[in-house]
Amino acid sequence: MVQPLALYIHWPFCKSKCPYCDFNSHVRERIDEPRWRAALLAELDHWAPSLKGRELVSIFFGGGTPSLMAPVTAAALIERVAQHWPVARDLEITLEANPTSVEASRFAELRAAGVNRVSLGVQALDDASLKFLGRGHNAGEARAAVKLAARLFDRFSFDLIYARPGQTLEAWGEELAAALAMAGDHLSLYQLTIEQGTAFATAFARGDFRLPDDETQGALYEMTQETLAAAGLPAYEISNHARPGQECRHNLVYWRYQDYLGIGPGAHGRLTLGDEKRAVKNFRAPETWLKAVEHDGHGVEESLLLSADERRDEILMMGLRLGEGVGRDAFRAETGGDFERSLNAARLASLNTAGFLVLDETGLHATAAGRQRLNAVLGALLA
Ligand code: SF4
């Protein structure tokens, strides 16, 4: 069967670098946007012959800050995609946006370009927290941008970061209630983590701030799960909540370990080509990628053939993030074997007894407690 395809397009630029961010995002004084547009289009052209005929189910503009991209660039890319591939009738086109007033002023043009879903980086609903997180917007702008997104787009979501320094259960409960009052059918709620190489990593090591202790973090996570489930937006993934049917289809492709093509600096892909599945990775540095595309027509740094064992590990790493887990059919199709034959029975049994994993007739699932500490669970399962 020919697999459907999702497309990720990376726009690597931001106005400033947020202190917690370890994404492939860069600040540049000047961007030659026509040159960038041409390169992104060229990389689409490069992939079109080898992925010919695949139905495209989603386009996702991520970053960086793709809401800083000129709407004409988004429009050109969407148009080119439709020239190369048949698109699903309910094609989801998501764009990540920051809720500054400048970016919000482009929403209507982005809608006209074909974007039908936005995901807003709100991150907090009070000005002091936004300042701590180094964001370029205030709470008033965020609320206005969410309102505008709700009016203009078929679907929208926004992100918040919790487990911030000093955040109590009570304060987070109030923020969640305020978020739910303005939410649509999808919310992404991430715990603040300190990533290596970020400004927060340095400040944290210096003792400038502390995170809530493990117990408080656990309680904040549980409260988040319960509050969102009670509001009709249960977690379908560790940090993502939606009304049933309103999950982000693009991210579901990743977590269900289906095929996606990545375009732009640092973009990754997983592509089934004939009998092979490949892990494709683009050059990460924006200018290196740009020059490679201008020279070779693509910015691929590495294209690795994935072994059966690697595919087994990847489908578990991705699928156990989801509430639905990894289905038996999907696992068999990817690895050629069953869970019982492919996994260590003793390890599986002990993770089941500990309350982290469940294997039943539909497939393998992580419990809520298992999802909360998924890296450790996977480490024990696949050791
Ligand atoms: S706007 Fe987003 S991608 Fe850019 S630096 Fe901040 S968190 Fe990172």
Side-chain angles (χ1 to χ4, degrees), residues 20-319:
Y20 56 87
C21 175
D22 71 340
F23 297 154
N24 187 22
S25 62
H26 306 263
V27 179
R28 297 284 183 269
E29 234 166 65
R30 221 187 69 81
I31 296 152
D32 183 349
E33 186 149 346
R35 194 173 162 199
W36 274 86
R37 180 161 58 239
L40 289 166
L41 289 168
E43 203 169 41
L44 279 181
D45 296 345
H46 165 78
W47 281 103
S50 45
L51 298 169
K52 196 171 159 48
R54 304 277 287 266
E55 186 186 51
L56 210 87
V57 294
S58 159
I59 303 173
F60 192 104
F61 292 95
T65 308
S67 50
L68 294 174
M69 180 192 269
V72 62
T73 300
L77 288 161
I78 293 168
E79 205 183 303
R80 186 67 59 90
V81 164
Q83 286 164 10
H84 286 320
W85 290 283
V87 297
R89 221 157 34 102
D90 56 353
L91 176 70
E92 177 185 271
I93 307 182
T94 304
L95 183 131
E96 287 180 334
N98 276 338
T100 67
S101 45
V102 175
E103 285 151 82
S105 69
R106 294 176 169 176
F107 285 1
E109 279 179 90
L110 288 165
R111 175 75 194 95
V115 172
N116 55 27
R117 182 175 183 275
V118 282
S119 176
L120 293 162
V122 168
Q123 314 310 8
L125 291 175
D126 70 275
D127 288 345
S129 300
L130 288 168
K131 192 161 176 227
F132 167 72
L133 293 169
R135 304 293 294 172
H137 60 272
N138 60 37
E141 279 180 300
R143 286 172 196 277
V146 169
K147 240 184 179 170
L148 187 64
R151 188 156 62 74
L152 287 177
F153 295 96
D154 304 345
R155 298 161 71 215
F156 74 98
S157 176
F158 60 89
D159 299 1
L160 293 176
I161 295 176
Y162 69 101
R164 306 191 297 260
Q167 195 172 32
T168 61
L169 279 169
E170 197 189 355
W172 176 231
E174 281 169 18
E175 194 168 346
L176 267 185
L180 281 166
M182 58 199 242
D185 295 330
H186 192 287
L187 276 178
S188 300
L189 305 166
Y190 300 101
Q191 291 201 48
L192 177 60
T193 50
I194 306 298
E195 305 295 342
Q196 272 184 3
T198 60
F200 265 5
T202 314
F204 186 72
R206 234 178 9 225
D208 291 0
F209 65 87
R210 285 199 293 177
L211 295 179
D213 59 31
D214 285 354
E215 201 182 316
T216 310
Q217 290 201 21
L220 286 164
Y221 175 82
E222 273 163 33
M223 190 178 95
T224 307
Q225 307 301 303
E226 282 161 21
T227 308
L228 272 285
L233 283 81
Y236 67 98
E237 191 264 351
I238 298 170
S239 309
N240 285 279
H241 303 256
R243 235 171 267 292
Q246 293 304 319
E247 298 85 0
C248 172
R249 285 175 220 144
H250 187 86
N251 287 340
L252 280 180
V253 165
Y254 297 155
W255 296 321
R256 288 178 175 159
Y257 202 47
Q258 294 164 339
D259 274 18
Y260 55 94
L261 168 66
I263 294 291
H268 286 246
R270 287 291 178 282
L271 294 170
T272 308
L273 301 162
D275 293 336
E276 299 177 351
K277 186 148 182 162
R278 289 194 162 266
V280 183
K281 190 176 89 182
N282 278 358
F283 288 108
R284 188 173 162 90
E287 289 72 20
T288 310
W289 173 86
L290 186 64
K291 282 187 191 137
V293 176
E294 289 177 344
H295 191 264
D296 305 324
H298 65 84
V300 175
E301 181 183 20
E302 199 175 82
S303 169
L304 292 177
L305 183 63
L306 291 165
S307 68
D309 280 355
E310 286 168 330
R311 295 203 307 270
R312 178 201 68 171
D313 291 359
E314 287 198 336
I315 195 174
L316 292 172
M317 280 191 260
M318 300 311 282

Side-chain angles (χ1 to χ4, degrees), residues 312 315-316 326-335 337-339 342:
R312 178 201 68 171
I315 195 174
L316 292 172
V326 181
R328 283 188 177 270
D329 291 347
F331 188 77
R332 203 174 300 116
E334 201 58 60
T335 66
D338 292 325
F339 291 112
S342 306

